Each structure stands twice: as C-alpha cells, then as structure tokens.
Amino acid sequence: MKPIKLSLQAFLMSCLIPGWGMVYVGRIKWGIRVAALLFGGVALMGALGLITTPLGLYAFFVFVITVKLTSAIVSAVLARRYSGPPDVPRKRFHALYVGVVIILVLTLGVFRVPLLGFKNYYIPSGSMAPTLSIGDYIIADLQAGTPTVGDIVVYRWNGTEAVKRVAGVAGDTLAIVNGELIHNGENLGLFHAPADRVKGPESLEMAPVKVALGHVFLLGDNRYNSNDSRFMGQVAVEDVVGKVTGIWFSNERARIGTTFP
C-alpha cells in the first residue's frame, strides 16, 4: 500500500510554521532552507532599515506571505506525490523543528528594536489632527537618530507613550506670536497647525523660551487641543522613542500609505 501524506495537512503545517510542511513530507533540508530564507530575509530587511516605513512594512508582509504560501503549495504537491516511508521524519524531530522555529520567532519579538528597528502604534486622540487622526495606525523608526525640527516623534511621558511634533531642539529659542511659531527669530507661520486649530490664549501667545540641553520642545498640530510642551514642559531626548514615518493603516482609505519626511 502506498504511504499516505495528506496534502491539506502539509499545506496547513507550512502556513503555521515555515518549512514544517516540507519536513512532514520528508524534505527536511528543504524545510530548513525555507525557514532560513524567511528569518534571514526578515533580519536583512531589518538591518537595512527597510521595514521602518509604510511601504517597507507592506513589502515585509508580502515577503513573509509569499515565502509561506509558496512553501505551503509545494508541500501540498509533494504530499500528494509522496512515496517514501510513512513515519519519516519521526515525531521527535517534528517537535525539535517546531521548538527551534518558535524560539527564533520569540527572539525576533524580544529583540525587535535592535533587529528590525520599528514599532507600530495606534492613535487614540486628536492632538495631532488632522495630520494624525483617531484610528490611524502609524509606524515609527526606532533608530532614526537625533530628532530635528519638524519631525513627528513618539516619546515617553508620565508612564505612557504619545506622539507630537518637534518644534525646537537644544539651544533653540521659541515663541508664539498671534498663533505663529517664532523659531530663533524666524517666523515659521502656523507650523503645521491648521488655522481653525489655532485659537485660545495658549495657542495664540507664548513667551520666549529656550530649549534646554538634551531636550526637545514638542507641539501638537491640533494646537487648541494638545497637551504638549506648553503645559507638560520640555521632553528629554532620551525619552524620544522614535520618529513617525507614516500611516500604514487607517479607517480612512485615503490616508493609508501616507508617509512623513
């Protein structure tokens, strides 16, 4: 009687664990190569900084899905044509293979910052509207380096992480006159804030302030409804987590894929 390997089982095993379906049909080296391709490709994309933008994140998803789906289809075909021993490889090897892959996945998760360099966030408030709206899913580059004026950044404050725009860095002198930002004597206008979001005394006027060494001064684009450095004070550079590079998903279709310089 011809040994039986189930095509559907091989397909599902490959979808769950990269290369597992190959192992199931006795192609152990193929399975290891598939896993190496997947994890090696992800690590390479992270090392090159290719996953830190919406486009890079989409490419990451496409790569992972393509590798897993292709290997799943090939595994299903090989299962249908299988003619080797019915008990190869043995259950112990299956357990070992799955265990090693799970450890690799957990390692990527734990060391995601140094290995992949990105993190996703959900926008729960309107302090950066209309640039960032409630319901937007953003991606941040966690290895973007020193913040510069105009950057949208994720920062730690009071035990939480929030998002604002850098209005000034160490040594800069800032003021707000008639709602316009004066940066080192240069008038930067409303500085990304829509005119209808600049109202109320706190939005229209701010006495000159100098940004301290090792700190940044943050403002929300929704100037009238933003708890930023006007109220909470300047933020230490070491508390800046990363630079927001774009919106990778949103309730508004037109916003999906938006990128920021």
Side-chain angles (χ1 to χ4, degrees):
M1 180 180 293
K2 179 183 177 181
I4 296 176
K5 292 288 185 180
L6 303 177
S7 296
L8 179 59
Q9 182 174 340
F11 184 89
L12 294 177
M13 290 171 74
S14 287
C15 290
L16 288 172
I17 302 291
W20 194 15
M22 297 288 190
V23 173
Y24 171 65
V25 297
R27 303 297 179 95
I28 296 174
K29 291 184 178 179
W30 288 23
I32 294 174
R33 287 168 184 165
V34 168
L37 173 63
L38 183 61
F39 289 111
V42 169
L44 180 61
M45 292 176 73
L48 296 176
L50 301 179
I51 320 178
T52 58
T53 64
L55 183 60
L57 189 62
Y58 302 148
F60 168 77
F61 289 146
V62 169
F63 172 72
V64 172
I65 292 171
T66 299
V67 171
K68 296 188 74 172
L69 187 58
T70 301
S71 67
I73 293 172
V74 173
S75 297
V77 172
L78 291 175
R80 177 170 295 184
R81 299 175 180 176
Y82 185 77
S83 59
D87 58 347
V88 175
R90 298 188 182 278
K91 292 182 179 180
R92 286 185 180 180
F93 187 85
H94 281 285
L96 176 63
Y97 183 87
V98 172
V100 170
V101 171
I102 290 176
I103 290 173
L104 289 174
V105 171
L106 293 176
T107 301
L108 283 177
V110 172
F111 298 100
R112 179 172 60 178
V113 174
L115 289 177
L116 304 182
F118 79 96
K119 190 174 180 180
N120 297 319
Y121 295 90
Y122 172 80
I123 300 299
S125 73
S127 66
M128 280 294 292
T131 306
L132 299 175
S133 297
I134 296 175
D136 286 348
Y137 291 83
I138 61 173
I139 183 170
D141 183 352
L142 305 183
Q143 299 175 328
T146 305
T148 59
V149 173
D151 287 349
I152 302 173
V153 297
V154 178
Y155 64 97
R156 290 184 293 265
W157 181 77
N158 200 24
T160 63
E161 291 182 334
V163 178
K164 296 292 185 293
R165 190 184 296 273
V166 178
V169 298
D172 290 344
T173 299
L174 305 174
I176 296 178
V177 179
N178 294 325
E180 298 179 334
L181 179 67
I182 310 300
H183 177 271
N184 293 334
E186 179 184 0
N187 190 330
L188 300 185
L190 297 181
F191 192 64
H192 303 281
D196 62 345
R197 310 289 175 119
V198 181
K199 52 187 177 180
E202 295 85 0
S203 298
L204 293 173
E205 302 292 334
M206 184 183 75
V209 59
K210 187 168 184 177
V211 183
L213 184 66
H215 287 72
V216 291
F217 194 97
L218 305 177
L219 289 175
D221 288 359
N222 187 3
R223 203 66 47 78
Y224 182 64
N225 185 27
S226 173
N227 182 25
D228 49 42
S229 291
R230 294 171 296 165
F231 309 105
M232 67 180 187
Q234 302 175 26
V235 174
V237 172
E238 63 186 20
D239 289 328
V240 175
V241 177
K243 175 183 175 181
V244 178
T245 59
I247 302 169
W248 69 271
F249 187 75
S250 174
N251 295 327
E252 303 175 44
R253 183 176 300 177
R255 301 172 63 79
I256 297 175
T258 299
T259 59
F260 306 121

